[in-house]
Amino acid sequence: MADRSAPLGEHRYALTSTWTGNSGTGTSGYREYRRDVTLEVEGKPEILASADKPFRGDPSRWNPEDLLLASLSECHLLSYLHACVTAGVVVVSYRDTASGTMREDGTGGGAFVEVMLRPEVVVAEASMIEAAERAHAQAHDWCFIANSMNFPVRHEATVRAATD
């Protein structure tokens, strides 16, 4: 969330993506190389990535589809916490079990067609539940990542009080 008193601005992000899957003959054939990639952002731990298993990737590594889903889930979470603070809601626990659907187009490409976020939220008091439920709409409006997608990002949230 941007500081609402600060001027609007442009934010730049940078990373290095390095292919580490050369098995000795480069891309001499479709089956001759690994899809292994190392993602680096200065000052942060490396992420070992690959293609998804159906695309000859290493299933033990993060893939682009995982990272897209993670970005949407985390962005909603952070936007939601901010919306709750501004609404006077005290969140004591938040867990999301997100899922997404990607559809191949038959020509070697494809696209995500939907993501569903399923946050399970616990708030401090029962009197906060209604405002906590409303905060999901505000979080959706504020989420930079969801606002950048060309497919629906939906949420089915459950909210309960810690004393329930």
Side-chain angles (χ1 to χ4, degrees), residues 39-68:
L39 304 173
E40 299 169 273
V41 172
E42 188 176 329
K44 298 179 183 181
E46 293 179 344
I47 294 177
L48 301 181
S50 186
D52 195 9
K53 186 177 179 180
F55 307 109
R56 305 193 54 79
D58 180 342
S60 71
R61 292 177 171 229
W62 287 82
N63 61 59
E65 296 82 8
D66 293 333
L67 293 167
L68 176 69

Side-chain angles (χ1 to χ4, degrees), residues 1-2 4 74-91 94 121 123 128-143 155:
M1 251 44 56
R4 299 292 177 210
E74 182 182 359
C75 188
H76 185 85
L77 181 156
L78 296 171
S79 299
Y80 179 75
L81 296 178
H82 180 71
C84 284
V85 167
T86 62
V89 172
V90 177
V91 175
Y94 183 112
V121 180
V123 295
M128 299 175 175
I129 291 175
E130 188 175 319
E133 290 170 340
R134 282 193 313 269
H136 282 286
Q138 183 66 68
H140 181 77
D141 290 345
W142 284 347
C143 177
H155 59 273

